[in-house]
Amino acid sequence: MLKTALRNLLAHKARQVMTLLAVCLGVAFVSGTLVFADSTAEAHRAAASKSFADIAVTVTAKTPPPGAAAHQQTGALDDALVRKLAAVPGVAAVRPSADGSAALNAADGTPLRVNPGANPAAGYVPGKDGKDSRYPLAEGRAPTNSGELAVDRGTVAAGHFRIGDTITLATDGPVMTKRLVGIVTTEDTRVTAGGTLALFDKATAQKLFASPGHYTGIDLSAAPGTDQFALSRRVTGMLPADRAEATTGAAQAAQQALYVDTLTRGYEKLPLVFAGVSLFIGSFLIINTFTMLVSRRTREIALLRAIGATRRQVSRSVLLEALLVGLVASAAGFLLGLGIAAVLPDILSTHGNTLPQGPLVIGPRPVVAALGVGVGVTVLAAWLPSRRAAKVAPVEAMRTTDQPPSAKRSRARGVAGLALLVLGAGVLVSLSGAKDASEKNLQNAMAGCALLVAALIVLAPILASPMIRLTGRLTGRLGITGHLAQQNALRDPRRTAATAATLLISTALVAGLAVIGNSTGQALDRQAAAGLGADYVISSRTPTTGIDPAAVRRVADITGVQTASAVTDSTLFTGGGVREISGVDPHTVNDVMKLDFVSGSAKDLGPGRIAVSSTIARGNGVTTGDHLNVCLGRNQEFRKYTVVGVYKDNPVAHDALGARTEVAHNSYLPGSVQRILVRTDGRAVSKTTEDRLRTAVGNSPLLKVQDREQFVHEAAGTMGDLLTLMYGMLAIGIVIAALGIMNTLAMSVAERTREIGALRAIGMDRSGIRRMIRLEAVTVAAFGTLLGLAGGLFGAWAVGSLANGAMPQYSLALPWGTLLLVCLLSLAIGALAAAVPARRAAALSPLEAVAEA
């Protein structure tokens, strides 16, 4: 039987190529993603290890109590401690540092790569040789006074700077301008991954990030032969226990490794989703291929049974064939995966966030995954056909035609399909009135969608005949070729349904996601627009940065500005969790926010009085006039606040409203302003006004100025990942569907050799043969697409109703352009997939085809 399996595999190697490609795609995504994750983590570790290579111990200040003075923030980290640590036995060198963050404007005035944690800044602290080994100078010189600055090579290129240019920047306060005097290189992964680096002279860095004469950290290098853990214990004994602590370089490297593992784990998600989709859809191609192969070899299998082969041997022969295909597909997929791993850093390096480059790391995990996935999926998919092959009786050898499925089997399929359909539709319909996007309801909705797709797959052979007859009215108008194409698709409904299953699944997924994405995007647009009454929003790019309160007065003085309302955002702790509260001016809030109060109003806001959103009111069972126990901002105690109003959920107002004076007093940045909402007279909405607003806030790179359109667009920007996922799955589905249609038609042409020869003999030309095969492929593609659209739209309607509870502005909005594109692509891929089989059919010689036994 081993020889038989090998002979069958070699005899049908052309037909197995399609199956191999389908499995190869899934294996490539899985193995490539794992290799990419391992390689990226290793590149991060390699870059980080350079930073810790000569650091044995780092001394840092302990977290001070709230409200501590500036000198307490850095504890005892001063020059006296530096000298003291330099005298510790085993210490080879001491390198103090004053580190923080700074955001820069590019030469054209636009913010440059402003991302939390990606904009380190530090003091250039020269050693005895006059150089700071952490930042080798590539050009110019080190900063020596408060008006000078050095940056890294990447920042120079991104900002289009030159030595001598004036650079605008901000740390955590007013905007500063400094002259660029030096360009350095660095191994800091935050910078090499697309961030920026700003270097000040030591005194300026201490003033900005610590306090005069103090540091944020002190790095110690160990003398040769000194154990860093022993050195850490000696250093700890020299430190004030309540103000400073020592950490070994190994511990810092371990923390960095943990951070890297967490970071790279996120990179795996999207490619692994594609892998899962390709393997799931590809499994139907594998089942279809082996089913057709078994059907083609019915007489051969029956003869094997007649000469003594057992059912188990026949089944093992088919599974062995699948195993060999899986091994080849795994090897090819792994090689393709290495290519995917090589290009993924460039694909995922967007918006200035560049992933570190390094050699590919091929560990045991991706190799085992490639073998397990490729072989496992192929063998599992071939299991049903192998069972069908084992049931072939010897008497089948005397039959010359395939037998249709028994009425009993068709009835069983219909009952099972209807049961799944009723169950899936019932789950989705029951959720349509829930209007609650809880995790449990979302999981139930996903289960309902899965049941619905499974029902369509089971019922597809039964639905094939009526639906293809319906679409045949269109192809029938194209003459005899269209009529023959319809009859060929109807010849074996099971094969037609199995071929269309790949398009059914991918179309259902894409159509459902497209509808949900389009509806959610429009709802977010409406929600943001409905809650905003201002023409401009000035806000901070980072949660730890506030706006200078004096800027509010400068904004209000701009010509055409009617209202400039300051907003302080903070946290609000309730019994239901952590929420956000906006501190506003009760007299101007209605000018800049569109608040729809269910009861009460914002005019009564004041000390001890807040207004809450409908969600907060409903979750805590309160209404206007009631008292709510909350903890505001950094305040450590819960206290009762009077609810003076309940308004409909508003993303601009957040979860609750309070008087700005009280919220600002209790915020983590006391007295700060996080947003300025600007209302103009209408005529002042222009580029000129936007430039004046930027000037009024000092052109700070930490702040952004947005008009209504920009603000609304940003609110809906979260749909980008969903659209990427949607189009990725569409591409995978189309590729695998094309392979499936091509495979089916190739086998169909081989089965109908005599029939095609007869058609040629009675006068049908080669173009007619090609047209017939293409129309058959388009018919199958149309069948799968229509079923997929029906399932996807129904699922999107049910899932979308859950979003309506969390987002009242949500309503079903069909993306007609996307849905039409999906339909056209599906039909086009059907026609393209038929090109090779159609050409092969047209090339058959009429006499040789008719004479074939």
Side-chain angles (χ1 to χ4, degrees):
M1 297 307 292
L2 175 61
K3 292 181 179 179
T4 301
L6 291 172
R7 182 182 61 80
N8 285 328
L9 185 61
L10 294 174
H12 304 101
K13 54 181 177 294
R15 297 169 190 170
Q16 296 284 15
V17 167
M18 307 303 173
T19 300
L20 188 147
L21 287 175
V23 180
C24 182
L25 280 175
V27 172
F29 276 115
V30 171
S31 60
T33 300
L34 295 178
V35 170
F36 161 72
D38 292 343
S39 302
T40 303
E42 185 59 32
H44 271 292
R45 293 188 186 97
S49 64
K50 295 180 181 179
S51 301
F52 297 115
D54 60 344
I55 297 177
V57 178
T58 296
V59 177
T60 55
K62 287 189 175 181
T63 303
H71 68 278
Q72 292 178 288
Q73 300 288 332
T74 50
L77 307 188
D78 54 14
D79 289 321
L81 181 61
V82 171
R83 291 190 294 271
K84 188 176 180 181
L85 293 175
V88 174
V91 173
V94 181
R95 189 174 61 202
S97 60
D99 301 337
S101 64
L104 288 72
N105 277 340
D108 61 1
T110 58
L112 184 63
R113 297 173 172 178
V114 181
N115 292 304
N119 305 112
Y124 189 92
V125 184
K128 294 180 180 179
D129 59 356
K131 299 178 181 179
D132 190 331
S133 59
R134 297 171 301 174
Y135 311 111
L137 278 166
E139 188 177 342
R141 60 178 177 81
T144 57
N145 59 64
S146 61
E148 297 178 343
L149 182 74
V151 299
D152 67 288
R153 284 185 180 275
T155 301
V156 168
H160 304 288
F161 300 130
R162 292 181 299 178
I163 295 290
D165 284 353
T166 298
I167 297 180
T168 303
L169 69 155
T171 53
D172 193 14
V175 174
M176 300 175 287
T177 57
K178 298 187 182 296
R179 188 167 64 91
L180 180 62
V181 297
I183 301 173
V184 303
T185 59
T186 179
E187 299 293 341
D188 192 325
T189 55
R190 296 171 297 175
V191 181
T192 57
T196 62
L197 172 66
L199 296 177
F200 307 91
D201 66 287
K202 184 175 74 170
T204 302
Q206 289 176 324
K207 182 179 178 182
L208 289 172
F209 306 126
S211 60
H214 289 79
Y215 303 97
T216 57
I218 303 174
D219 295 329
L220 308 178
S221 298
T226 302
D227 179 70
Q228 62 177 240
F229 294 98
L231 181 61
S232 175
R233 287 193 293 270
R234 288 198 292 268
V235 168
T236 300
M238 306 288 293
L239 300 175
D242 60 335
R243 300 177 64 190
E245 58 186 349
T247 307
T248 63
Q252 294 178 77
Q255 291 174 358
Q256 183 75 2
L258 180 62
Y259 166 76
V260 168
D261 288 340
T262 304
L263 178 67
T264 54
R265 200 176 298 127
Y267 296 145
E268 299 178 17
K269 293 181 180 179
L270 192 60
L272 284 178
V273 169
F274 290 159
V277 171
S278 60
L279 288 170
F280 179 65
I281 298 176
S283 64
F284 289 91
L285 173 57
I286 300 169
I287 293 173
N288 200 23
T289 300
F290 278 96
T291 299
M292 288 188 289
L293 288 174
V294 168
S295 178
R296 287 270 298 163
R297 287 164 18 209
T298 298
R299 298 183 66 184
E300 174 190 323
I301 294 172
L303 287 173
L304 288 173
R305 292 291 314 282
I307 62 175
T310 64
R311 290 187 173 184
R312 181 173 294 181
Q313 287 177 315
V314 171
S315 178
R316 286 178 178 174
S317 174
V318 176
L319 290 177
L320 180 60
E321 192 175 333
L323 174 64
L324 295 174
V325 171
L327 287 172
V328 175
S330 297
F334 184 78
L335 293 176
L336 180 60
L338 296 181
I340 292 176
V343 301
L344 271 178
D346 295 328
I347 295 174
L348 297 178
S349 296
T350 57
H351 304 296
N353 296 320
T354 305
L355 295 177
Q357 299 292 330
L360 293 180
V361 176
I362 303 175
R365 186 173 66 145
V367 176
V368 172
L371 287 173
V373 169
V375 174
V377 169
T378 309
V379 172
L380 284 176
W383 179 68
L384 283 176
S386 72
R387 291 192 60 192
R388 189 172 298 163
K391 292 180 180 179
V392 175
V395 72
E396 296 285 341
M398 296 182 290
R399 296 178 180 172
T400 59
T401 58
D402 291 336
Q403 299 300 310
S406 64
K408 181 179 180 181
R409 182 181 297 177
S410 296
R411 285 195 299 270
R413 175 184 288 273
V415 171
L418 283 175
L420 289 171
L421 183 65
V422 171
L423 184 59
V427 171
L428 293 176
V429 170
S430 67
L431 292 172
S432 64
K435 296 187 181 299
D436 178 14
S438 64
E439 184 177 352
K440 181 180 180 180
N441 280 343
L442 287 175
Q443 290 175 349
N444 290 337
M446 292 175 64
C449 290
L451 289 171
L452 184 64
V453 171
L456 291 177
I457 293 172
V458 173
L459 291 174
I462 299 173
L463 297 174
S465 295
M467 290 190 69
I468 290 177
R469 287 193 175 92
L470 179 63
T471 58
R473 295 181 180 179
L474 296 176
T475 57
R477 295 181 180 180
L478 300 177
I480 187 63
T481 55
H483 179 71
L484 288 174
Q486 179 197 34
Q487 294 304 311
N488 288 334
L490 288 171
R491 178 176 299 185
D492 190 345
R494 290 178 300 173
R495 178 185 300 179
T496 298
T499 305
T502 53
L503 270 179
L504 187 159
I505 297 168
S506 59
T507 304
L509 287 171
V510 171
L513 285 175
V515 172
I516 294 173
N518 186 63
S519 302
T520 305
Q522 292 190 17
L524 288 171
D525 287 353
R526 289 191 295 269
Q527 188 181 58
L532 182 64
D535 297 308
Y536 291 96
V537 178
I538 304 172
S539 58
S540 172
R541 295 179 183 274
T542 61
T544 58
T545 303
I547 304 174
D548 181 8
V552 181
R553 293 190 296 273
R554 294 195 297 268
V555 169
D557 291 338
I558 295 175
T559 303
V561 172
Q562 291 184 337
T563 306
S565 184
V567 180
T568 297
D569 296 320
S570 188
T571 54
L572 184 75
F573 300 89
T574 68
V578 182
R579 302 288 184 171
E580 290 182 283
I581 185 170
S582 298
V584 298
D585 182 350
H587 300 97
T588 61
V589 64
N590 288 318
D591 294 334
V592 294
M593 293 185 187
K594 294 180 180 179
L595 297 169
D596 187 0
F597 274 88
V598 177
S599 60
S601 68
K603 66 180 182 180
D604 295 323
L605 292 174
R609 299 192 297 271
I610 61 173
V612 297
S613 65
S614 298
T615 298
I616 296 293
R618 183 169 55 251
N620 291 274
V622 297
T623 186
T624 301
D626 291 345
H627 291 87
L628 182 62
N629 246 359
V630 299
C631 178
L632 184 60
R634 62 190 176 90
N635 196 338
Q636 300 295 310
E637 297 180 359
F638 278 79
R639 55 170 291 194
K640 287 185 178 180
Y641 278 79
T642 302
V643 177
V644 298
V646 176
Y647 55 90
K648 292 183 178 179
D649 289 12
N650 187 319
V652 181
H654 295 325
D655 302 302
L657 290 173
R660 197 181 76 82
T661 52
E662 184 173 18
V663 175
H665 176 72
N666 290 283
S667 72
Y668 292 97
L669 298 173
S672 67
V673 174
Q674 274 69 52
R675 290 180 288 163
I676 304 176
L677 305 183
V678 182
R679 180 76 174 269
T680 68
D681 58 11
R683 297 188 300 272
V685 179
S686 64
K687 183 65 168 62
T688 302
T689 301
E690 184 175 333
D691 291 340
R692 289 174 178 172
L693 291 172
R694 294 184 188 279
T695 302
V697 294
N699 286 320
S700 173
L702 294 174
L703 305 179
K704 53 187 175 181
V705 179
Q706 299 171 297
D707 59 23
R708 286 177 58 86
E709 183 178 351
Q710 293 168 335
F711 178 80
V712 170
H713 179 73
E714 184 182 79
T718 53
M719 290 296 103
D721 290 342
L722 181 62
L723 292 176
T724 301
L725 180 66
M726 179 186 75
Y727 290 120
M729 287 192 294
L730 175 61
I732 291 171
I734 282 180
V735 169
I736 297 179
L739 296 175
I741 293 173
M742 191 182 301
N743 206 21
T744 300
L745 290 177
M747 291 189 178
S748 179
V749 167
E751 290 175 354
R752 293 168 8 216
T753 299
R754 297 185 66 187
E755 173 190 321
I756 293 171
L759 290 173
R760 293 278 284 115
I762 63 177
M764 182 175 285
D765 58 14
R766 291 184 175 182
S767 63
I769 296 293
R770 287 195 295 267
R771 190 181 308 114
M772 178 184 70
I773 301 297
R774 290 195 187 100
L775 288 175
E776 181 181 349
V778 170
T779 300
V780 174
F783 169 60
T785 302
L786 289 175
L787 271 186
L789 281 176
L793 294 178
F794 183 79
W797 166 77
V799 174
S801 64
L802 300 179
N804 186 259
M807 195 182 304
Q809 291 83 0
Y810 184 94
S811 62
L812 197 67
L814 299 181
W816 295 107
T818 302
L819 296 178
L820 178 61
L821 177 64
V822 170
C823 293
L824 293 177
L825 281 175
S826 298
L827 297 179
I829 205 64
L832 290 174
V836 174
R839 188 165 56 249
R840 184 176 300 169
L844 289 174
S845 169
L847 294 179
E848 293 178 2
V850 172
E852 184 176 297

